[in-house]
Amino acid sequence: MINIKKVSDISSSAITPESIYLRRREFMKASGMLGTAMLLNPWMTAAASIPIGDYARNVITPKGEDEEITPEEDATSYNNFYEFGTDKGDPKKYSTKFTTDDWKITVGGECAKPGTYSLEDLIKPFAIEERVYRLRCVEAWSMVIPWLGVPLASIIESLEPTSKAKYIAFTTLHDPQRMPGQKRSVLDWPYREGLRIDEATNPLTLLAIGMYGKTMPNQNGAPVRLVVPWKYGFKSIKSIVSIDFVEQQPLTSWNMSSAREYGFYSNVNPTVNHPRWSQKKERRIGDLFKRPTLMFNGYAEEVAHMYDDMDLRSNY
Ligand code: MTE
């Protein structure tokens, strides 16, 4: 199982590349100079898009020894976020005016605590963790990203799902004025995704509110997105406004768009090719040569048991 360490158990420099470690120290210094308000309420930093205060109380780093963290510049300028355009550079270019203040999430369906919550209220009870995960896009490129967030399992537990809650459905904001890409019918908006309840509560699944020690950039799914590291990147839905506990497998955007190409499960699997290209290898952004794609994106130990009695060829 994954190894959860308290930050106090290991030095930061042992778990993060020096540049990030240094940036964190700079931030600690800076926040001291800015006074205590920010540390008492890290959410004050959200609107200004500066680093989150007290994070990384737990650090989970399930990544290979030989893997480098993708430069922040690449992870924030080569994006898929069709709400802001379909070219890789569009999300950064066209999301600059996107505001996410007072973000609300509506919780519904099979749970004891439905309602409309401020993002802050949903997240606040839990310690923010840093998780360094591989992100493997279905398009056969990948990155390694240090996310900040809370385990989705903690949030789910606090909402008290009923025994009928077999799946969770997630929806992205639908507002073509604020998300100009939605003026074109590239997908059937809003963007929708879903997970089976055991997948949603797997310890790896993260509700992320930041990356690289800062609040989530708009182009990466501000202010809150899912990170499901053993599945193709499109399962990691951005800018979430609703979470619904449901009995039946929910509709998901890419599956609705082309069921033959994009299954509900979409676990990273080098043995099941996309109908139009191979999934055996991937290009890590920044690398010259392709590398082999790993089953479940390298997280088999943590997640394979959930699919023991499933045929992953037909349930792709
Ligand atoms: N979420 C929404 N709402 N809209 C999108 O277009 N693209 C998905 C996923 N989440 C997408 C989305 C895809 S295809 C990938 S690979 C990842 O976001 C990319 O995340 P990144 O841009 O942070 O690397």
Side-chain angles (χ1 to χ4, degrees):
M1 285 309 293
I2 47 176
N3 193 11
I4 304 183
K5 291 179 179 156
K6 285 210 187 84
V7 163
S8 52
D9 295 337
I10 41 174
S11 76
S12 298
S13 53
I15 47 142
T16 45
E18 197 175 29
S19 58
I20 291 176
Y21 168 63
L22 290 176
R23 208 166 343 109
R24 188 176 299 158
R25 285 184 50 196
E26 275 163 25
F27 165 65
M28 295 311 251
K29 249 168 51 194
S31 56
M33 291 189 301
L34 288 169
T36 51
M38 193 187 291
L39 288 176
L40 290 174
N41 182 4
W43 289 92
M44 291 180 67
T45 67
S49 210
I50 49 175
I52 296 170
D54 186 12
Y55 71 85
R57 277 172 239 163
N58 292 315
V59 176
I60 302 184
T61 308
K63 74 177 183 73
E65 291 295 312
D66 63 327
E67 290 173 292
E68 306 254 316
I69 288 183
T70 299
E72 183 180 353
E73 175 58 25
D74 291 343
T76 55
S77 60
Y78 186 91
N79 299 103
N80 276 335
F81 198 175
Y82 279 16
E83 284 83 343
F84 293 103
T86 52
D87 285 348
K88 294 288 182 278
D90 285 349
K92 183 174 180 182
K93 222 189 298 174
Y94 299 118
S95 70
T96 50
K97 294 199 187 104
F98 185 58
T99 53
T100 58
D101 305 340
D102 303 321
W103 194 265
K104 302 274 191 294
I105 296 186
T106 304
V107 175
E110 293 294 339
C111 70
K113 301 263 182 73
T116 298
Y117 295 84
S118 73
L119 175 61
E120 178 179 351
D121 285 345
L122 268 189
I123 302 271
K124 213 168 35 184
F126 309 104
I128 296 170
E129 301 178 20
E130 180 168 68
R131 306 264 187 116
V132 180
Y133 284 158
R134 301 179 201 97
L135 173 81
R136 168 60 156 84
C137 180
V138 73
E139 297 163 339
W141 53 263
S142 61
M143 300 189 188
V144 176
I145 298 181
W147 302 103
L148 294 174
V150 301
L152 182 62
S154 306
I155 310 265
I156 290 176
E157 196 188 345
S158 72
L159 298 169
E160 298 176 23
T162 71
S163 59
K164 282 190 181 162
K166 304 282 188 250
Y167 296 87
I168 307 194
F170 303 88
T171 315
T172 294
L173 176 70
H174 189 200
D175 186 343
Q177 293 312 315
R178 292 164 69 195
M179 296 180 141
Q182 290 176 335
K183 289 178 183 158
R184 290 173 52 207
S185 46
V186 201
L187 286 169
D188 184 0
W189 309 112
Y191 195 101
R192 276 163 270 201
E193 257 311 331
L195 294 172
R196 218 169 53 191
I197 192 94
D198 59 331
E199 299 178 318
T201 53
N202 183 282
L204 287 188
T205 307
L206 198 70
L207 196 65
I209 53 164
M211 61 197 287
Y212 295 88
K214 302 171 190 158
T215 48
M216 193 67 76
N218 286 343
Q219 61 270 33
N220 293 88
V224 61
R225 69 175 290 174
L226 212 57
V227 179
V228 196
W230 71 96
K231 292 178 179 283
Y232 291 120
F234 67 84
K235 298 291 294 180
S236 293
I237 182 172
K238 298 176 169 182
S239 305
I240 297 169
V241 291
S242 74
I243 298 179
D244 284 284
F245 294 91
V246 294
E247 216 172 338
Q248 305 296 330
Q249 184 177 301
L251 291 175
T252 56
S253 291
W254 280 105
N255 185 252
M256 287 158 72
S257 162
S258 178
R260 203 173 66 88
E261 295 178 299
Y262 310 103
F264 175 79
Y265 286 92
S266 285
N267 294 312
V268 175
N269 187 342
T271 71
V272 176
N273 289 330
H274 185 280
R276 290 184 278 132
W277 60 84
S278 166
Q279 294 291 23
K280 283 192 182 56
K281 291 189 171 181
E282 68 199 53
R283 191 171 68 88
R284 181 66 50 83
I285 297 301
D287 282 2
L288 201 53
F289 300 107
K290 289 186 179 173
R291 62 173 67 209
T293 286
L294 306 174
M295 187 65 203
F296 296 115
N297 204 21
Y299 302 105
E301 205 182 312
E302 290 86 4
V303 304
H305 64 92
M306 294 189 289
Y307 311 102
D308 275 349
D309 45 14
M310 271 174 65
D311 172 7
L312 295 176
R313 296 200 144 266
S314 46
N315 294 290
Y316 55 87

